[in-house]
């Protein structure tokens, strides 16, 4: 088809493109109305061998010119809202595709059992190394599909098409994939970069407000770790963003993606500054574990927001952050309707310093029985603090949980 031969510049001239350039992989993040051109963009990827650095010579050169074959991993809610538009775009671009629905919604889908089930379904559909997997959904689908793409046939190409705010500004960019284990969150996975990220804000039209708030926590995180001016803008524009103002959403998404890309470009595998992106996550992952990874009780972004508040509280307690800073941060989230007191959560167990500390023990950043936390020095500046003794953390957790919140 003639339209399949259009150059990338023509396809994307109405979109913002943010580039991720790691040592091993370069890829674009398209921010705009990508659903209209999704078939053409995917077709371009499937035929453009010169743009693929990871698989050059193994996939693209060998298979250049073949018809694109796509395996779409999505959840049923996303398909109900946007399946017709997605399929129309793929059909118009003459792309052969297979749909693979994830049977569960939320963090429970990131399990060994679902991973195995999805592998068997995709293998039965006849996948080979020239094919492409597309993760179409929120962060859970992206993490699961990315892990599948990185391991099936020892690795096939991956496209991320995030449909939640959290996935658009965070989890779809940077190549982290994985599933949860009983011991903790995201403990099994691989770093596996996509070859394209397609972000369309129109997916957010059907997103519940609670999911928007969860994604907002990750947006605010970028300002808190490295851009105080961006956090100032969020304090002025956060309500407009959550009201789905198009300009505010686009600005926040583009800013977040640029910051995430800049950090990943410097530190792809979290050996240094990429750990900053985990601000609040150690506490948050512990809370998620106590909630049983049940999205009805606690979404990931909600846990991150609470965890950020706790990180600021803890930093104040040990003198790393000016007194009163935590209150500014927590008040901002609270003003946007977010719960910041973990005791208000209907967790599966009564929350205390003992069980939260135990839940945090299996965080990936911890070494040699001690704890590692990302702690703020001020709004817009954080540091990685290693070697935190369990008894010290327990003492301060007791203070944070029982008094400060």
């Amino acid at each position: 088809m003639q339209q399949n031969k259009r150059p990338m510049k023509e396809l994307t001239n109405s979109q913002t493109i943010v580039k991720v350039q790691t040592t091993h992989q370069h890829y674009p993040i398209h921010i705009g109305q990508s659903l209209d051109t999704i078939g053409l963009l995917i077709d371009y990827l499937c035929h453009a061998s010169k743009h693929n650095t990871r698989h050059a010579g193994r996939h693209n050169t060998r298979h250049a010119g073949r018809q694109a074959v796509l395996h779409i991993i999505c959840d049923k809610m996303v398909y109900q809202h946007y399946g017709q538009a997605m399929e129309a775009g793929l059909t118009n671009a003459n792309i052969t595709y297979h749909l693979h629905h994830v049977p569960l919604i939320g963090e429970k889908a990131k399990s060994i059992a679902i991973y195995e089930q999805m592998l068997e379904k995709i293998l039965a559909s006849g996948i080979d190394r020239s094919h492409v997997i597309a993760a179409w959904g929120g962060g859970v689908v992206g993490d699961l599909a990315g892990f599948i793409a990185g391991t099936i046939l020892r690795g096939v190409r991956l496209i991320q098409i995030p449909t939640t705010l959290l996935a658009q500004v965070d989890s779809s960019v940077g190549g982290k994939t994985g599933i949860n284990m009983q011991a903790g969150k995201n403990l099994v996975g691989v770093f596996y970069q996509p070859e394209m990220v397609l972000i369309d804000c129109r997916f957010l039209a059907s997103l519940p407000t609670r999911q928007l708030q969860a994604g907002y926590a990750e947006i605010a995180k970028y300002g808190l770790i490295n851009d105080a001016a961006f956090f100032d803008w969020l304090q002025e524009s956060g309500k407009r963003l959550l009201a789905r103002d198009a300009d505010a959403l686009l600005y926040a998404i583009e800013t977040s993606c640029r910051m995430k890309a800049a950090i990943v470009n410097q530190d792809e595998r979290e050996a240094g500054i990429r750990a900053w992106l985990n601000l609040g996550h150690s506490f948050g992952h512990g809370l998620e574990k106590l909630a049983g990874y049940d999205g009805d009780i606690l979404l990931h972004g909600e846990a991150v927001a609470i965890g950020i508040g706790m990180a600021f509280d803890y930093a104040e307690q040990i003198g790393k952050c000016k007194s009163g800073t935590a209150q500014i941060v927590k008040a901002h989230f609270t003003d946007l309707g977010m719960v910041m007191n973990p005791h208000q959560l209907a967790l599966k167990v009564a929350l205390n310093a003992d069980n939260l500390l135990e839940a945090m023990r299996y965080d990936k950043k911890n070494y040699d029985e001690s704890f590692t936390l990302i702690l703020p020095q001020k709004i817009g500046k954080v540091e990685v603090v290693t070697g935190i003794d369990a008894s010290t953390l327990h003492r301060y957790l007791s203070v944070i949980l029982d008094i400060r919140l």
Side-chain angles (χ1 to χ4, degrees), residues 223 226-236 251 379-380:
N226 199 35
D227 192 341
F230 182 48
F231 185 72
D232 289 342
W233 179 85
L234 288 171
Q235 287 185 295
E236 296 177 359
Y251 178 74
I379 291 175

Side-chain angles (χ1 to χ4, degrees), residues 91-345:
T91 299
N92 289 339
N94 197 32
I95 292 178
T96 299
Y97 60 92
H98 304 272
L99 283 168
H100 307 283
H101 293 294
V102 180
L104 297 177
I105 302 293
E107 290 287 337
K108 289 184 178 180
K110 288 172 55 176
S111 69
I112 286 286
I114 298 300
Y115 168 69
E116 180 181 14
Q117 183 178 334
M118 296 301 296
L119 284 175
E120 295 290 3
K121 290 169 63 175
I122 296 168
L123 288 168
S125 70
I127 190 171
D128 69 39
R129 284 182 170 177
S130 71
H131 294 185
V132 179
I133 284 179
W136 185 34
V140 167
V141 170
D143 285 356
L144 175 64
F147 187 36
I148 290 169
T151 52
I152 197 167
L153 304 181
R154 297 195 175 95
V156 300
R157 288 173 290 166
L158 171 67
I159 299 171
Q160 289 278 1
I161 311 172
T163 60
T164 65
L165 184 59
L166 187 148
Q168 290 180 352
V169 301
D170 186 65
S171 60
S172 66
V173 179
K176 279 189 176 181
T177 76
I179 55 177
N180 304 328
M181 302 298 291
Q182 187 173 357
K185 186 177 174 71
N186 296 330
L187 293 182
V188 175
V190 293
F191 284 95
Y192 198 74
Q193 299 291 348
E195 297 191 10
M196 183 182 291
V197 180
L198 303 177
I199 294 175
D200 193 327
C201 292
R202 290 173 298 177
F203 286 130
L204 305 180
S206 60
L207 200 67
T209 298
R210 184 185 173 201
Q211 289 279 358
L212 278 177
Q213 291 171 322
Y216 184 89
E218 295 284 6
I219 292 175
K221 176 192 70 180
Y222 291 108
L224 294 170
I225 66 172
N226 199 35
D227 192 341
F230 182 48
F231 185 72
D232 289 342
W233 179 85
L234 288 171
Q235 287 185 295
E236 296 177 359
S237 306
K239 290 183 178 179
R240 193 158 55 95
L241 189 158
L242 291 179
R244 293 178 172 84
D245 178 89
D247 290 338
L249 277 170
L250 283 170
Y251 178 74
I253 291 169
E254 180 181 343
T255 301
S256 300
C257 285
R258 289 192 186 281
M259 292 179 68
K260 178 76 176 278
I263 290 173
V264 171
N265 291 348
Q266 297 179 61
D267 179 20
E268 181 180 3
R269 293 181 175 262
E270 205 171 290
I273 65 170
R274 187 167 180 176
W276 294 353
L277 296 169
N278 290 308
L279 174 67
H281 284 60
S282 295
F283 295 108
H285 285 172
L287 291 170
E288 285 184 275
K289 187 174 189 296
L290 295 180
Y293 303 120
D294 188 338
D296 292 336
I297 296 175
L298 188 64
L299 297 173
H300 174 66
E302 293 171 331
V304 168
I306 296 172
I308 287 173
M310 294 177 74
F312 271 87
D313 268 319
Y314 183 38
E316 285 189 21
Q317 288 290 312
I318 62 176
K320 286 189 173 292
C321 189
K322 182 180 177 181
S323 179
T325 309
Q327 186 54 39
I328 293 172
V329 173
K330 291 189 291 183
H332 175 64
F333 286 124
T334 300
D335 190 46
L336 296 176
M338 302 176 70
V339 172
M340 294 302 291
N341 187 338
H343 287 302
Q344 293 179 1
L345 303 173

Side-chain angles (χ1 to χ4, degrees), residues 346-404:
L347 300 180
K348 294 184 179 298
V349 297
L351 179 63
N352 56 57
D354 291 336
N355 57 23
L356 181 55
L357 184 70
E358 185 62 27
M360 293 171 60
R361 191 173 297 279
Y362 294 97
D363 189 272
K364 298 181 297 300
K365 297 181 295 301
N366 296 335
Y367 295 96
D368 298 328
E369 301 298 320
S370 64
F371 289 79
T372 297
L373 296 175
I374 288 70
L375 297 177
Q377 298 177 3
K378 60 181 180 179
I379 291 175
K381 186 175 183 180
V382 297
E383 62 178 316
V384 180
V385 180
T386 60
I388 299 172
D389 181 76
S391 61
T392 301
L393 182 57
H394 183 278
R395 183 166 60 252
Y396 284 106
L397 275 177
S398 297
V399 173
I400 290 170
L401 290 175
D402 297 340
I403 300 175
R404 294 299 295 273

